[in-house]
Every structure is written in C-alpha cells, then in structure tokens.
Amino acid sequence: MKKVIVTAKTVEAAIEEALRQLNTSRDKIRVTVLEEPSRGFFGLFGVRPAKVEAELITTPVDDAVQFLENVLATMGVTATVEARTDSRPVVIDIRGDELGMVIGRHGQTLDALQYLVNIVANRHHPGYTRFQLDAQGYRKRREESLQHLADRIAKQVLKSGKSVALEPMTPMERKVIHTHIQKYDKLTTYSEGEEPRRRVVVALATKA
C-alpha cells in the first residue's frame, strides 16, 4: 500500500497535499491525523503544523494494472492496459503495435507475466482475484490454432491407429487440446513428461 506523511498549516491543507502527491481523489485514500495543528504560546511561539498520514486505498485490479504498466515501461514496450472487471477471471488486455516481446514464444512470456500479476495483485488484499492476461487477442488466436492442430492430429491417429505426442505446451494449452479431442468418441488424451516439457498424447481409446 502506498502512503505518504504530510505536514501543513491545517489538516485540510495537509490532505490536499497528500492527494497531490498520490495523484488521486479523496475517496481513494485513508487519512490518519498524526498531529493536530497548534498555534503555540500566545499564537506566536512554538507553532506546530498539522501532520497526516494518507494511505492509498487500492483494489486487486488497481494493483494488477499498475504493476503491469510498470513492467511494460521497464521492457520499453509502448502499450495500453485495460481491465475487464465484468468477467471471471478478470481479463487484462494489453494493446499496442509491437507486442511480440510481451507474448513470447507460444505465449510463454505472457503466461509468466500473468503468473506475476496474480501474485502481486493479491498479496495485500483478502480473498483471491484471478487474472488472465491477453495481448491483442492472442489468446483467442492461439486457442483456434490449437483446435485446428487437434483436428489434424485426430485425423492422423484415426487413420494410422498410432498415438501421437504433441510438442510441449503450457497447462492452459494442454487443456485446450484435451477438451477439443473429447468430441472424438474413438480417441483419448493424456499428458506425459515433466514441466516445462510436459506434452499431450493423442491415442485411440481402449474398448471397455
């Protein structure tokens, strides 16, 4: 939680300065008055200013977006970050012209960022808010690509009768393959190997 301690002639003046430093509005801070102002002896000597502590009140979504914006800036990536809070998990869209560095090979960098966002966004809040990162619609394109791959492999296995092991994939990608192959009554899938080399195997279903 970001907080500042500010002194000023009055409590209200201190709060206004805290709002300026935190670049936020009054409804998004928690204020603790540490010292009331005092005019001192005869109003001339020992004048003591007001001192307040202002703590920025954030949500997991606020923290997720802020963290991601900081990471992208550090990477030198120019992009906008937008959270869709009407979905579960909360989807954070990254939009920009050149996001290859953010996505990485088969979405590995995007998955790593997603993992970090989920940790950072939830560390100071009760409960748990799950986030999914996307970049220019990559998730949907990748899902469609994997479904097409699953169809090709399904036809190959049905024709040859031999099992086929796919390339290593992330847990999310393996789930897409497992789910899509379920529409083939004569096929089954299972995973083998250890992370990060774990892969899906498509095979003929054994008869009961």
Side-chain angles (χ1 to χ4, degrees):
M1 296 286 185
K2 188 175 181 180
K3 63 177 65 175
V4 294
I5 295 177
V6 181
T7 59
K9 289 184 178 180
T10 66
V11 170
E12 283 304 315
I15 293 175
E16 288 299 319
E17 174 59 21
L19 292 175
R20 187 191 68 78
Q21 292 186 22
L22 293 172
N23 190 29
T24 189
S25 57
R26 182 67 178 84
D27 61 321
K28 293 184 179 180
I29 63 170
R30 183 181 296 110
V31 175
T32 302
V33 179
L34 302 177
E35 292 182 6
E36 293 282 355
S38 173
R39 298 189 62 173
F41 187 62
F42 291 122
L44 298 174
F45 304 104
V47 177
R48 184 178 66 188
K51 180 185 290 187
V52 303
E53 178 184 84
E55 182 179 16
L56 189 62
I57 302 171
T58 62
T59 67
V61 174
D62 294 330
D63 291 350
V65 170
Q66 183 63 60
F67 171 75
L68 191 54
E69 288 177 341
N70 291 341
V71 171
L72 293 175
T74 301
M75 294 172 66
V77 175
T78 301
T80 59
V81 177
E82 180 181 337
R84 302 206 307 268
T85 57
D86 58 341
S87 63
R88 292 294 180 272
V90 175
V91 175
I92 299 182
D93 286 323
I94 305 172
R95 299 177 183 176
D97 293 330
E98 298 180 5
L99 298 181
M101 182 188 303
V102 175
I103 296 171
R105 184 175 183 274
H106 291 179
Q108 290 179 339
T109 303
L110 193 64
D111 287 341
L113 286 173
Q114 179 174 292
Y115 174 76
L116 293 174
V117 164
N118 276 280
I119 291 177
V120 171
N122 287 286
R123 61 183 175 181
H124 295 309
H125 301 280
Y128 190 85
T129 302
R130 193 161 70 89
F131 295 89
Q132 182 183 69
L133 265 59
D134 200 359
Q136 291 291 99
Y138 169 79
R139 296 289 189 195
K140 183 64 175 177
R141 295 195 304 275
R142 180 60 175 164
E143 180 180 1
E144 291 174 350
S145 175
L146 290 171
Q147 289 172 343
H148 291 321
L149 172 64
D151 285 331
R152 291 199 304 272
I153 297 302
K155 293 176 182 178
Q156 179 180 336
V157 174
L158 288 171
K159 183 177 181 179
S160 68
K162 297 180 180 180
S163 301
V164 174
L166 280 65
E167 64 179 0
M169 295 180 184
T170 65
M172 188 179 300
E173 292 178 330
R174 294 198 302 271
K175 182 179 179 181
V176 172
I177 299 293
H178 287 306
T179 300
H180 197 71
I181 292 295
Q182 286 179 2
K183 73 177 186 178
Y184 294 93
D185 295 336
K186 297 181 179 180
L187 298 179
T188 187
T189 59
Y190 58 91
S191 295
E192 64 178 14
E194 301 296 328
E195 300 290 1
R197 303 293 299 172
R198 195 163 174 78
R199 64 184 68 215
V200 175
V201 177
V202 181
L204 291 176
T206 56
K207 296 181 179 181

PDB file of all heavy atoms in Angstrom, residues 6-19 26 29 31 33 35-37 50-52:
ATOM      1  N   VAL A   6       2.417  13.917   5.486  1.00  0.00           N
ATOM      2  CA  VAL A   6       2.477  15.302   5.026  1.00  0.00           C
ATOM      3  C   VAL A   6       2.200  16.247   6.184  1.00  0.00           C
ATOM      4  O   VAL A   6       1.355  15.977   7.038  1.00  0.00           O
ATOM      5  CB  VAL A   6       1.443  15.559   3.900  1.00  0.00           C
ATOM      6  CG1 VAL A   6       1.522  17.001   3.419  1.00  0.00           C
ATOM      7  CG2 VAL A   6       1.667  14.599   2.740  1.00  0.00           C
ATOM      8  N   THR A   7       2.917  17.356   6.208  1.00  0.00           N
ATOM      9  CA  THR A   7       2.650  18.411   7.188  1.00  0.00           C
ATOM     10  C   THR A   7       2.206  19.674   6.453  1.00  0.00           C
ATOM     11  O   THR A   7       2.647  19.951   5.342  1.00  0.00           O
ATOM     12  CB  THR A   7       3.892  18.730   8.033  1.00  0.00           C
ATOM     13  OG1 THR A   7       4.961  19.134   7.162  1.00  0.00           O
ATOM     14  CG2 THR A   7       4.336  17.519   8.841  1.00  0.00           C
ATOM     15  N   ALA A   8       1.316  20.439   7.114  1.00  0.00           N
ATOM     16  CA  ALA A   8       0.822  21.704   6.550  1.00  0.00           C
ATOM     17  C   ALA A   8       0.210  22.523   7.686  1.00  0.00           C
ATOM     18  O   ALA A   8       0.099  22.041   8.822  1.00  0.00           O
ATOM     19  CB  ALA A   8      -0.205  21.446   5.458  1.00  0.00           C
ATOM     20  N   LYS A   9      -0.205  23.725   7.382  1.00  0.00           N
ATOM     21  CA  LYS A   9      -0.751  24.606   8.429  1.00  0.00           C
ATOM     22  C   LYS A   9      -2.038  24.044   9.021  1.00  0.00           C
ATOM     23  O   LYS A   9      -2.310  24.226  10.201  1.00  0.00           O
ATOM     24  CB  LYS A   9      -0.994  25.999   7.859  1.00  0.00           C
ATOM     25  CG  LYS A   9       0.286  26.789   7.569  1.00  0.00           C
ATOM     26  CD  LYS A   9      -0.039  28.201   7.092  1.00  0.00           C
ATOM     27  CE  LYS A   9       1.236  28.995   6.854  1.00  0.00           C
ATOM     28  NZ  LYS A   9       0.952  30.387   6.396  1.00  0.00           N
ATOM     29  N   THR A  10      -2.850  23.405   8.169  1.00  0.00           N
ATOM     30  CA  THR A  10      -4.107  22.820   8.631  1.00  0.00           C
ATOM     31  C   THR A  10      -4.203  21.379   8.171  1.00  0.00           C
ATOM     32  O   THR A  10      -3.476  20.936   7.262  1.00  0.00           O
ATOM     33  CB  THR A  10      -5.317  23.593   8.071  1.00  0.00           C
ATOM     34  OG1 THR A  10      -5.360  23.427   6.652  1.00  0.00           O
ATOM     35  CG2 THR A  10      -5.221  25.083   8.414  1.00  0.00           C
ATOM     36  N   VAL A  11      -5.140  20.648   8.789  1.00  0.00           N
ATOM     37  CA  VAL A  11      -5.350  19.260   8.410  1.00  0.00           C
ATOM     38  C   VAL A  11      -5.814  19.173   6.960  1.00  0.00           C
ATOM     39  O   VAL A  11      -5.333  18.343   6.180  1.00  0.00           O
ATOM     40  CB  VAL A  11      -6.387  18.592   9.337  1.00  0.00           C
ATOM     41  CG1 VAL A  11      -6.783  17.215   8.788  1.00  0.00           C
ATOM     42  CG2 VAL A  11      -5.824  18.454  10.748  1.00  0.00           C
ATOM     43  N   GLU A  12      -6.748  20.035   6.575  1.00  0.00           N
ATOM     44  CA  GLU A  12      -7.266  20.012   5.216  1.00  0.00           C
ATOM     45  C   GLU A  12      -6.174  20.311   4.184  1.00  0.00           C
ATOM     46  O   GLU A  12      -6.136  19.709   3.113  1.00  0.00           O
ATOM     47  CB  GLU A  12      -8.423  21.001   5.061  1.00  0.00           C
ATOM     48  CG  GLU A  12      -9.729  20.502   5.652  1.00  0.00           C
ATOM     49  CD  GLU A  12     -10.156  19.162   5.083  1.00  0.00           C
ATOM     50  OE1 GLU A  12     -10.085  18.993   3.850  1.00  0.00           O
ATOM     51  OE2 GLU A  12     -10.540  18.282   5.876  1.00  0.00           O
ATOM     52  N   ALA A  13      -5.305  21.264   4.530  1.00  0.00           N
ATOM     53  CA  ALA A  13      -4.207  21.602   3.628  1.00  0.00           C
ATOM     54  C   ALA A  13      -3.257  20.412   3.474  1.00  0.00           C
ATOM     55  O   ALA A  13      -2.735  20.142   2.387  1.00  0.00           O
ATOM     56  CB  ALA A  13      -3.457  22.822   4.134  1.00  0.00           C
ATOM     57  N   ALA A  14      -3.043  19.686   4.571  1.00  0.00           N
ATOM     58  CA  ALA A  14      -2.178  18.507   4.528  1.00  0.00           C
ATOM     59  C   ALA A  14      -2.810  17.415   3.662  1.00  0.00           C
ATOM     60  O   ALA A  14      -2.123  16.734   2.893  1.00  0.00           O
ATOM     61  CB  ALA A  14      -1.919  17.993   5.941  1.00  0.00           C
ATOM     62  N   ILE A  15      -4.115  17.253   3.790  1.00  0.00           N
ATOM     63  CA  ILE A  15      -4.814  16.256   2.979  1.00  0.00           C
ATOM     64  C   ILE A  15      -4.727  16.605   1.502  1.00  0.00           C
ATOM     65  O   ILE A  15      -4.490  15.738   0.648  1.00  0.00           O
ATOM     66  CB  ILE A  15      -6.284  16.134   3.425  1.00  0.00           C
ATOM     67  CG1 ILE A  15      -6.361  15.542   4.837  1.00  0.00           C
ATOM     68  CG2 ILE A  15      -7.078  15.283   2.434  1.00  0.00           C
ATOM     69  CD1 ILE A  15      -7.759  15.500   5.416  1.00  0.00           C
ATOM     70  N   GLU A  16      -4.913  17.876   1.183  1.00  0.00           N
ATOM     71  CA  GLU A  16      -4.827  18.302  -0.215  1.00  0.00           C
ATOM     72  C   GLU A  16      -3.450  18.033  -0.801  1.00  0.00           C
ATOM     73  O   GLU A  16      -3.309  17.601  -1.944  1.00  0.00           O
ATOM     74  CB  GLU A  16      -5.150  19.800  -0.327  1.00  0.00           C
ATOM     75  CG  GLU A  16      -6.609  20.139  -0.126  1.00  0.00           C
ATOM     76  CD  GLU A  16      -7.499  19.473  -1.166  1.00  0.00           C
ATOM     77  OE1 GLU A  16      -7.103  19.430  -2.356  1.00  0.00           O
ATOM     78  OE2 GLU A  16      -8.575  18.984  -0.789  1.00  0.00           O
ATOM     79  N   GLU A  17      -2.415  18.257  -0.001  1.00  0.00           N
ATOM     80  CA  GLU A  17      -1.058  17.989  -0.464  1.00  0.00           C
ATOM     81  C   GLU A  17      -0.833  16.495  -0.643  1.00  0.00           C
ATOM     82  O   GLU A  17      -0.173  16.055  -1.596  1.00  0.00           O
ATOM     83  CB  GLU A  17      -0.045  18.551   0.535  1.00  0.00           C
ATOM     84  CG  GLU A  17       1.425  18.218   0.235  1.00  0.00           C
ATOM     85  CD  GLU A  17       1.893  18.725  -1.131  1.00  0.00           C
ATOM     86  OE1 GLU A  17       1.255  19.655  -1.688  1.00  0.00           O
ATOM     87  OE2 GLU A  17       2.902  18.201  -1.639  1.00  0.00           O
ATOM     88  N   ALA A  18      -1.411  15.700   0.256  1.00  0.00           N
ATOM     89  CA  ALA A  18      -1.297  14.243   0.133  1.00  0.00           C
ATOM     90  C   ALA A  18      -1.972  13.756  -1.153  1.00  0.00           C
ATOM     91  O   ALA A  18      -1.445  12.893  -1.856  1.00  0.00           O
ATOM     92  CB  ALA A  18      -1.923  13.560   1.348  1.00  0.00           C
ATOM     93  N   LEU A  19      -3.136  14.319  -1.467  1.00  0.00           N
ATOM     94  CA  LEU A  19      -3.835  13.955  -2.696  1.00  0.00           C
ATOM     95  C   LEU A  19      -2.990  14.288  -3.917  1.00  0.00           C
ATOM     96  O   LEU A  19      -2.953  13.527  -4.894  1.00  0.00           O
ATOM     97  CB  LEU A  19      -5.180  14.677  -2.769  1.00  0.00           C
ATOM     98  CG  LEU A  19      -6.244  14.264  -1.745  1.00  0.00           C
ATOM     99  CD1 LEU A  19      -7.481  15.151  -1.880  1.00  0.00           C
ATOM    100  CD2 LEU A  19      -6.623  12.802  -1.922  1.00  0.00           C
ATOM    101  N   ARG A  26     -10.091  12.136  -3.064  1.00  0.00           N
ATOM    102  CA  ARG A  26     -10.300  11.991  -1.608  1.00  0.00           C
ATOM    103  C   ARG A  26     -10.914  10.654  -1.233  1.00  0.00           C
ATOM    104  O   ARG A  26     -10.591  10.099  -0.177  1.00  0.00           O
ATOM    105  CB  ARG A  26     -11.198  13.140  -1.115  1.00  0.00           C
ATOM    106  CG  ARG A  26     -11.464  13.132   0.387  1.00  0.00           C
ATOM    107  CD  ARG A  26     -10.180  13.422   1.160  1.00  0.00           C
ATOM    108  NE  ARG A  26     -10.404  13.474   2.587  1.00  0.00           N
ATOM    109  CZ  ARG A  26     -10.438  12.405   3.387  1.00  0.00           C
ATOM    110  NH1 ARG A  26     -10.251  11.188   2.867  1.00  0.00           N
ATOM    111  NH2 ARG A  26     -10.636  12.527   4.679  1.00  0.00           N
ATOM    112  N   ILE A  29      -8.351   7.484  -0.526  1.00  0.00           N
ATOM    113  CA  ILE A  29      -7.285   7.467   0.480  1.00  0.00           C
ATOM    114  C   ILE A  29      -7.888   7.269   1.872  1.00  0.00           C
ATOM    115  O   ILE A  29      -9.048   7.597   2.120  1.00  0.00           O
ATOM    116  CB  ILE A  29      -6.424   8.751   0.465  1.00  0.00           C
ATOM    117  CG1 ILE A  29      -7.269   9.975   0.821  1.00  0.00           C
ATOM    118  CG2 ILE A  29      -5.722   8.921  -0.864  1.00  0.00           C
ATOM    119  CD1 ILE A  29      -6.452  11.232   1.069  1.00  0.00           C
ATOM    120  N   VAL A  31      -7.142   8.463   5.686  1.00  0.00           N
ATOM    121  CA  VAL A  31      -6.375   9.515   6.359  1.00  0.00           C
ATOM    122  C   VAL A  31      -6.313   9.266   7.859  1.00  0.00           C
ATOM    123  O   VAL A  31      -7.333   8.988   8.501  1.00  0.00           O
ATOM    124  CB  VAL A  31      -6.993  10.902   6.097  1.00  0.00           C
ATOM    125  CG1 VAL A  31      -6.250  11.976   6.895  1.00  0.00           C
ATOM    126  CG2 VAL A  31      -6.964  11.232   4.611  1.00  0.00           C
ATOM    127  N   VAL A  33      -4.896  11.372  11.169  1.00  0.00           N
ATOM    128  CA  VAL A  33      -4.314  12.621  11.659  1.00  0.00           C
ATOM    129  C   VAL A  33      -3.307  12.286  12.753  1.00  0.00           C
ATOM    130  O   VAL A  33      -3.677  11.799  13.820  1.00  0.00           O
ATOM    131  CB  VAL A  33      -5.404  13.574  12.199  1.00  0.00           C
ATOM    132  CG1 VAL A  33      -4.762  14.854  12.726  1.00  0.00           C
ATOM    133  CG2 VAL A  33      -6.415  13.901  11.117  1.00  0.00           C
ATOM    134  N   GLU A  35      -0.937  14.553  13.995  1.00  0.00           N
ATOM    135  CA  GLU A  35      -0.804  15.701  14.905  1.00  0.00           C
ATOM    136  C   GLU A  35      -1.760  16.805  14.459  1.00  0.00           C
ATOM    137  O   GLU A  35      -1.798  17.163  13.278  1.00  0.00           O
ATOM    138  CB  GLU A  35       0.639  16.239  14.896  1.00  0.00           C
ATOM    139  CG  GLU A  35       1.658  15.300  15.519  1.00  0.00           C
ATOM    140  CD  GLU A  35       3.059  15.911  15.529  1.00  0.00           C
ATOM    141  OE1 GLU A  35       3.196  17.094  15.156  1.00  0.00           O
ATOM    142  OE2 GLU A  35       4.000  15.192  15.903  1.00  0.00           O
ATOM    143  N   GLU A  36      -2.525  17.330  15.432  1.00  0.00           N
ATOM    144  CA  GLU A  36      -3.360  18.485  15.160  1.00  0.00           C
ATOM    145  C   GLU A  36      -2.494  19.744  15.164  1.00  0.00           C
ATOM    146  O   GLU A  36      -1.487  19.803  15.888  1.00  0.00           O
ATOM    147  CB  GLU A  36      -4.456  18.619  16.221  1.00  0.00           C
ATOM    148  CG  GLU A  36      -5.495  17.506  16.204  1.00  0.00           C
ATOM    149  CD  GLU A  36      -6.513  17.693  15.098  1.00  0.00           C
ATOM    150  OE1 GLU A  36      -6.464  18.734  14.407  1.00  0.00           O
ATOM    151  OE2 GLU A  36      -7.356  16.785  14.919  1.00  0.00           O
ATOM    152  N   PRO A  37      -2.857  20.741  14.389  1.00  0.00           N
ATOM    153  CA  PRO A  37      -2.062  21.983  14.398  1.00  0.00           C
ATOM    154  C   PRO A  37      -2.218  22.708  15.721  1.00  0.00           C
ATOM    155  O   PRO A  37      -3.255  22.623  16.381  1.00  0.00           O
ATOM    156  CB  PRO A  37      -2.655  22.781  13.236  1.00  0.00           C
ATOM    157  CG  PRO A  37      -4.067  22.285  13.131  1.00  0.00           C
ATOM    158  CD  PRO A  37      -4.008  20.832  13.471  1.00  0.00           C
ATOM    159  N   ALA A  50      -0.045  20.809  11.224  1.00  0.00           N
ATOM    160  CA  ALA A  50      -0.790  19.551  11.208  1.00  0.00           C
ATOM    161  C   ALA A  50       0.029  18.492  10.476  1.00  0.00           C
ATOM    162  O   ALA A  50       0.762  18.797   9.529  1.00  0.00           O
ATOM    163  CB  ALA A  50      -2.124  19.746  10.504  1.00  0.00           C
ATOM    164  N   LYS A  51      -0.082  17.262  10.935  1.00  0.00           N
ATOM    165  CA  LYS A  51       0.616  16.151  10.276  1.00  0.00           C
ATOM    166  C   LYS A  51      -0.382  15.020  10.045  1.00  0.00           C
ATOM    167  O   LYS A  51      -1.053  14.589  10.980  1.00  0.00           O
ATOM    168  CB  LYS A  51       1.782  15.650  11.117  1.00  0.00           C
ATOM    169  CG  LYS A  51       2.539  14.482  10.471  1.00  0.00           C
ATOM    170  CD  LYS A  51       3.611  13.914  11.386  1.00  0.00           C
ATOM    171  CE  LYS A  51       4.765  14.863  11.563  1.00  0.00           C
ATOM    172  NZ  LYS A  51       5.878  14.219  12.331  1.00  0.00           N
ATOM    173  N   VAL A  52      -0.487  14.584   8.804  1.00  0.00           N
ATOM    174  CA  VAL A  52      -1.407  13.492   8.485  1.00  0.00           C
ATOM    175  C   VAL A  52      -0.683  12.397   7.713  1.00  0.00           C
ATOM    176  O   VAL A  52       0.296  12.656   7.018  1.00  0.00           O
ATOM    177  CB  VAL A  52      -2.620  13.987   7.645  1.00  0.00           C
ATOM    178  CG1 VAL A  52      -3.372  15.090   8.369  1.00  0.00           C
ATOM    179  CG2 VAL A  52      -2.186  14.439   6.263  1.00  0.00           C
TER     180      VAL A  52
END
